[in-house]
Amino acid sequence: MKFRLLIRYDLMQIQQKKFNKTNGWTCLRGDDVPPEQVNLVFVFSSTGILSDAGVFNSIQKTYPNAYILLNSTAGEICDSQVEDETISLTAIRFESTVIKPFSTSIDNSSDSYSVGKRLANGLDHNNLVYVLVISDGLKINGSDLVSGLRDTLPEKVIITGGLAGDGDRFQKTLVGLNEIPLEGRVVALGFYGRNLSVTYGSFGGWDPFGPERLITKAEANVLFELDDQPALDVYKKYLGEYAKDLPGSGLLFPLSISNEGDNNSLVRTILSVNEEDKSLTFAGNMPLGSYARLMKANFERLIEGASNAAHSSQGSDMESPELALLISCVGRKLVLGQRIEEEIEAIKEIYGNSTVLTGFYSYGEISPSGEFIKCELHNQTMTITTLSERNAE
């Protein structure tokens, strides 16, 4: 007797809405989704809007039985649109997937590794398929957070997520789970269930320039010397007229770091500069002995990178996913400017209209960068996580 495996998609029900101060709430899709049956709500917005307690209270009243995850952004993604000072809301009813959350706080970035372990230990590891982590974007060392998660969770569990943003202000970021969002909050959502399909993709699109330089002095995410020269002096030399606008202009010129003989590289973005000791602080660790090279923007390659992330996230069955969570870097948004929606449109062209697109612009992206490459903190990438429920009979 022959058995045939039947895969049925579209088991999730998704409602997508957006809010702006001029028009209020607009429902883009899913008018018929029963709010009381929703399991999970993503709320992406600005720090100003999320600071208003009425926003959370209103959303909680609408979706009384859901886990509500809120975080501030450097721009909101809703369908194929990218906007600021809006709310991008995506409400999901899973048919069989179970969600178990855990949240904690951080005051000092030196505690980031232990926070990652605390999050991982706070989740039930039995039948755990996927972990989504959303963190404060300024008080965390993203590299150490990811290491703590990776070292504690079962090896086959997929980890993706991102660091909350605050536009180009870099003053405070907010994250909350079933609460008014706060500074210093880190949230992990554990997803459980054999019917859940999770895929991911992460690509950049920046062009390297100048010579590779050895990291000769660094501590965690603080870079002091390249080729035994003060890091800030090296940076200023290559940035030319852009140097006077540091650290903001550093978003346009990230660093690529790699080990000798290793084809895989990570991109790091400057968060701050120290004129006294000539150091640069980055969003992720700068390993001593690694090689660093400056990068600059290439408009077409940035958009191509978003398209590559979507291609990479497509499963082997090539079906369009039900939901795609897009987390892209604030640096890409600043570079692309008025062309920013082109990277979202490139993704939509691959998935088609049936896939719901949501997400935000971040201070760091968390994802594996390939099937056999461990999860890392990335900067300046478009990172995509897709979620679908399917029945195998």
Side-chain angles (χ1 to χ4, degrees):
M1 181 180 293
K2 293 183 178 180
F3 293 90
R4 186 173 57 163
L5 183 67
L6 299 177
I7 304 298
R8 182 168 66 88
Y9 282 89
D10 301 325
L11 303 182
M12 295 161 55
Q13 289 182 283
I14 303 174
Q15 183 180 76
Q16 188 167 52
K17 299 194 293 187
K18 70 174 183 178
F19 171 90
N20 63 44
K21 294 178 181 178
T22 302
N23 301 317
W25 285 103
T26 303
C27 187
L28 303 181
R29 68 169 77 198
D31 277 326
D32 57 342
V33 177
E36 68 278 2
Q37 294 182 19
V38 166
N39 313 100
L40 177 63
V41 180
F42 293 129
V43 180
F44 306 128
S45 188
S46 66
T47 51
I49 291 176
L50 291 183
S51 297
D52 181 353
V55 171
F56 167 71
N57 293 333
S58 174
I59 294 171
Q60 186 182 51
K61 186 176 180 180
T62 303
Y63 304 99
N65 302 312
Y67 291 117
I68 302 172
L69 175 61
L70 312 92
N71 67 264
S72 61
T73 79
E76 300 86 52
I77 299 170
C78 191
D79 192 41
S80 59
Q81 297 178 327
V82 178
E83 300 185 74
D84 297 297
E85 302 297 327
T86 65
I87 299 175
S88 171
L89 184 149
T90 305
I92 309 161
R93 177 192 176 275
F94 291 97
E95 182 174 274
S96 59
T97 299
V98 174
I99 300 168
K100 298 178 183 180
F102 187 82
S103 63
T104 188
S105 297
I106 184 167
D107 294 317
N108 193 311
S109 64
S110 62
D111 298 328
S112 298
Y113 181 80
S114 62
V115 166
K117 292 182 68 69
R118 193 185 314 150
L119 286 172
N121 285 323
L123 297 173
D124 181 1
H125 292 187
N126 292 322
N127 301 315
L128 179 61
V129 174
Y130 164 59
V131 173
L132 171 66
V133 58
I134 302 293
S135 170
D136 182 284
L138 296 174
K139 297 185 177 184
I140 201 83
N141 179 319
S143 297
D144 288 346
L145 171 68
V146 172
S147 293
L149 286 162
R150 200 177 57 220
D151 291 349
T152 311
L153 289 170
E155 185 176 354
K156 292 186 179 181
V157 172
I158 297 169
I159 308 167
T160 70
L163 309 185
D166 181 32
D168 58 1
R169 296 176 290 271
F170 291 86
Q171 294 176 358
K172 67 176 182 178
T173 62
L174 305 174
V175 177
L177 176 70
N178 284 7
E179 64 182 349
I180 299 167
L182 303 168
E183 291 184 74
R185 186 71 85 212
V186 190
V187 173
L189 297 179
F191 291 75
Y192 304 77
R194 62 186 295 269
N195 291 339
L196 181 67
S197 172
V198 183
T199 67
Y200 52 85
S202 182
F203 275 87
W206 299 76
D207 286 338
F209 73 100
E212 277 193 333
R213 294 181 179 272
L214 183 66
I215 297 177
T216 50
K217 185 178 180 181
E219 294 178 9
N221 61 333
V222 181
L223 176 64
F224 293 97
E225 292 182 0
L226 290 167
D227 285 344
D228 297 314
Q229 301 176 47
L232 182 56
D233 289 348
V234 173
Y235 231 91
K236 286 183 174 181
K237 174 184 175 182
Y238 281 94
L239 263 60
E241 64 179 20
Y242 290 97
K244 67 180 186 300
D245 297 321
L246 283 169
S249 61
L251 291 169
L252 309 179
F253 299 95
L255 274 186
S256 170
I257 58 171
S258 62
N259 295 319
E260 187 174 13
D262 189 350
N263 291 327
N264 298 311
S265 62
L266 295 173
V267 179
R268 290 287 177 257
T269 296
I270 293 176
L271 293 181
S272 63
V273 302
N274 188 321
E275 293 284 355
E276 292 185 5
D277 62 13
K278 304 292 186 181
S279 69
L280 303 166
T281 299
F282 288 82
N285 286 342
M286 306 296 290
L288 192 66
S290 295
Y291 287 87
R293 193 175 183 189
L294 270 78
M295 306 185 81
K296 60 183 177 180
N298 179 316
F299 284 87
E300 301 306 323
R301 280 188 20 86
L302 287 176
I303 295 167
E304 181 185 355
S307 179
N308 287 339
H311 278 299
S312 178
S313 70
Q314 285 188 308
S316 56
D317 46 42
M318 300 301 287
E319 292 279 350
S320 294
E322 293 176 84
L323 176 70
L325 175 60
L326 282 49
I327 302 179
S328 187
C329 185
V330 58
R332 299 171 69 89
K333 185 167 179 279
L334 294 176
V335 168
L336 289 170
Q338 295 298 315
R339 297 182 62 184
I340 187 60
E341 290 183 350
E342 290 186 34
E343 72 169 358
I344 312 301
E345 291 166 354
I347 294 167
K348 190 177 185 68
E349 185 175 335
I350 292 168
Y351 291 147
N353 291 326
S354 63
T355 299
V356 177
L357 304 182
T358 188
F360 64 97
Y361 283 82
S362 73
Y363 286 175
E365 307 81 59
I366 295 169
S367 175
S369 55
E371 185 177 358
F372 302 107
I373 300 174
K374 63 185 180 181
C375 181
E376 297 280 6
L377 173 78
H378 304 272
N379 295 127
Q380 308 289 15
T381 63
M382 166 61 80
T383 291
I384 303 174
T385 306
T386 75
L387 301 177
S388 301
E389 280 191 312
R390 58 187 180 184
N391 258 344
E393 300 176 350

